[in-house]
Amino acid sequence: MKTMHFAERLYPQAKLENLLCEIRPARGVIDLSIGEPNVPLNHEILSHIPDGFEALARYPKESLQQTLLETIRDWLCKRYSLDTSSIDVQAQITVLAGSREGIFMMPIALFNRELQQGLPITVAMPDPGYPIYQASAENVGAKVCCITQAQIEQLEKLALNERDTFSEWSDIDLMFVCSPNNPTGEVLTLQQWTCLIELANKHQFILVADECYSEIYSEPFKPLGLLEACKHIGNNNFENCLAIHSLSKRSGLPGLRSGFVVGDAKLIKLIQGYRNYHGVSLSPIQLKGSEAAWADEQHVTTNRAIYQEKFDVFTKHLGECSAYQLPHGGFYIWLDVGGDSETFCQHLYQNYGVKVLPGHYLAVSDKVKSEVRQYVRVAVVCHLGEVEQVATAIKKSIAFFSHSNVVGDHVA
């Protein structure tokens, strides 16, 4: 059977649209199927963006890029308790047009020479997880290796030499991890980070941490990051390690298309060399806006408080559901609905106008697709005034399912 090319495979949200296309909801639609932040724009940050369109008539000035890199370094050092001397802004940070660009190009940028020579590479990734990890691997014909959260947790119980028997770590060339995780909300512990860094250094694979949800959490439990974990174990040059960050979730600015990758200088050099030709440069407007956003922490604190209010309401209404768990980070609820998730999504949409995403749409392997068939991902991105309505709708739908017999794709 011919394997479907990633560009031919429906993206999860498009697949959901097909699932719901013939349903007419009973009320107005609240779309929680996509992780588009819904927080107030910070006008202080916007005021730093150049007026008019004159800036678009010029290539970005090097000085603007340098100032942004220094601002990013200062943010990283403050956020992860690093010394400013530990990060060389020219050698260890590269600006990206959003985290998606960085993730998608990572295999081809880091293994371009090997791929040109026809050498196979293996890319490991979370399962379930962000679809771009799988697409980035398939784009270069790489073998896909799936890593579940349960496997990560199991690593803590094994000595370094025993971990080799747990999985084929020596086959991996590049590994994506996501903490806080999309969709589960799990956050890696220091011990789990340590295990992964040790494995990366022993087997010489590249560990790439997608940390775009790092600033959305319940105070004061800020998630530990890869660079911080490297510092704890003495990997001060971040050998074989890269971390990707973005303003999309942190600052509620997904349309700015701004992020960065930081870490091992030899890897950053490969990425910079590839991007010189790949060429997704940020305009002066993006650079100035990004600088202002990374320099300001108050709007991030405000956004975090808004998410906390929303989660408080969800917890009030769903806390008694045994399947409900407050995420450790990020703004997704990963929920076992007690029945076929596609049927649940259709019911929720038809009766309450609420869109959520079937969990198995984010799974990679057939095994995990089967295991998460009863899960949905709820992006907590509705307006605060809509949260009670959404939580009540989800609670009623779960109750409906628990008292119904699910037969195939229909509720009897």
Side-chain angles (χ1 to χ4, degrees):
M1 183 175 66
K2 182 182 176 182
T3 302
M4 183 177 290
H5 187 267
F6 77 90
E8 299 170 331
R9 187 170 56 239
L10 284 178
Y11 203 72
Q13 278 72 30
K15 195 172 181 180
L16 178 64
E17 290 303 315
N18 282 354
L19 178 71
L20 304 179
C21 66
E22 295 184 2
I23 296 175
R24 296 293 174 263
R27 58 186 71 179
V29 175
I30 300 175
D31 191 351
L32 308 183
S33 69
I34 189 167
E36 183 176 62
N38 185 5
V39 289
L41 280 173
N42 185 284
H43 292 281
E44 175 63 24
I45 291 172
L46 296 179
S47 70
H48 289 272
I49 295 176
D51 293 331
F53 301 102
E54 291 81 4
L56 296 178
R58 301 184 299 274
Y59 285 115
K61 292 182 179 179
E62 186 63 32
S63 58
L64 283 180
Q65 178 112 339
Q66 177 67 21
T67 305
L68 174 57
L69 291 174
E70 291 172 357
T71 303
I72 289 170
R73 176 203 57 199
D74 294 344
W75 177 80
L76 283 167
C77 291
K78 184 176 180 181
R79 170 62 172 85
Y80 295 111
S81 303
L82 304 171
D83 296 327
T84 54
S85 60
S86 67
I87 300 178
D88 183 324
V89 296
Q90 293 296 334
Q92 292 183 287
I93 307 175
T94 286
V95 174
L96 301 170
S99 59
R100 178 192 287 239
E101 183 228 348
I103 291 167
F104 189 75
M105 77 167 183
M106 204 60 66
I108 195 169
L110 296 174
F111 295 95
N112 196 279
R113 189 175 296 276
E114 290 85 349
L115 292 165
Q116 289 291 326
Q117 296 173 354
L119 299 176
I121 68 168
T122 296
V123 178
M125 62 196 65
D127 191 10
Y130 184 38
I132 304 303
Y133 307 137
Q134 183 181 3
S136 74
E138 294 175 339
N139 182 51
V140 296
K143 177 183 176 183
V144 171
C145 175
C146 298
I147 308 291
T148 66
Q149 181 64 29
Q151 288 175 303
I152 297 293
E153 292 170 358
Q154 181 69 17
L155 289 176
E156 296 178 83
K157 303 173 184 177
L158 302 173
L160 181 58
N161 62 336
E162 294 174 324
R163 292 175 197 149
D164 295 337
T165 63
F166 180 70
S167 185
E168 297 174 353
W169 296 101
S170 60
D171 292 341
I172 295 173
D173 296 291
L174 172 67
M175 180 178 180
F176 289 111
V177 293
C178 183
S179 180
N181 183 270
N182 168 16
T184 67
E186 295 285 345
V187 170
L188 293 181
T189 64
L190 176 58
Q191 182 61 28
Q192 290 166 352
W193 277 124
T194 300
C195 291
L196 293 173
I197 295 167
E198 288 177 344
L199 283 166
N201 287 329
K202 179 175 181 179
H203 296 294
Q204 289 299 294
F205 64 78
I206 298 168
L207 182 62
V208 179
D210 178 359
E211 299 183 353
C212 71
Y213 296 95
S214 67
E215 305 313 290
I216 304 172
Y217 55 85
S218 297
E219 299 277 10
F221 305 107
K222 63 174 69 172
L224 188 75
L226 175 58
L227 301 190
E228 195 173 4
C230 284
K231 175 190 170 185
H232 273 284
I233 65 173
N235 185 4
N236 295 319
N237 293 323
F238 315 126
E239 184 179 356
N240 294 320
C241 293
L242 295 169
I244 295 178
H245 286 265
S246 166
L247 289 172
S248 296
K249 276 45 177 199
R250 173 191 179 268
S251 297
L253 294 170
L256 190 61
R257 306 316 304 144
S258 179
F260 67 86
V261 57
V262 57
D264 187 331
K266 69 178 185 296
L267 302 178
I268 293 294
K269 185 177 181 179
L270 291 172
I271 294 169
Q272 289 172 336
Y274 180 78
R275 290 193 84 251
N276 285 338
Y277 292 91
H278 177 72
V280 185
S281 299
L282 270 64
S283 70
I285 289 174
Q286 290 170 292
L287 291 172
K288 288 295 291 182
S290 300
E291 179 191 336
W294 287 115
D296 180 76
E297 204 63 32
Q298 183 54 53
H299 77 284
V300 183
T301 303
T302 299
N303 291 347
R304 196 156 47 236
I306 291 171
Y307 285 119
Q308 187 60 58
E309 281 188 81
K310 294 178 183 179
F311 275 114
D312 287 345
V313 177
F314 268 105
T315 301
K316 176 183 175 183
H317 288 273
L318 296 176
E320 63 190 46
C321 299
S322 59
Y324 174 79
Q325 185 175 10
L326 189 68
H328 295 131
F331 54 50
Y332 299 112
I333 296 172
W334 184 240
L335 189 63
D336 185 340
V337 296
D340 178 76
S341 60
E342 289 185 322
T343 309
F344 178 90
C345 288
Q346 289 173 323
H347 173 88
L348 185 67
Y349 182 63
Q350 182 169 19
N351 292 278
Y352 304 101
V354 177
K355 279 187 184 180
V356 299
L357 192 70
H360 64 283
Y361 287 9
L362 298 167
V364 180
S365 65
D366 290 339
K367 182 176 184 294
V368 172
K369 286 178 183 178
S370 176
E371 291 174 349
V372 302
R373 185 82 194 189
Q374 293 190 169
Y375 281 80
V376 298
R377 190 193 72 176
V378 183
V380 183
V381 294
C382 49
H383 294 292
L384 183 59
E386 297 172 325
V387 177
E388 186 166 356
Q389 174 188 337
V390 169
T392 300
I394 292 174
K395 184 177 181 179
K396 287 182 177 179
S397 296
I398 290 175
F400 173 80
F401 266 60
S402 68
H403 292 93
S404 302
N405 294 316
V406 178
V407 181
D409 287 336
H410 305 278
V411 178

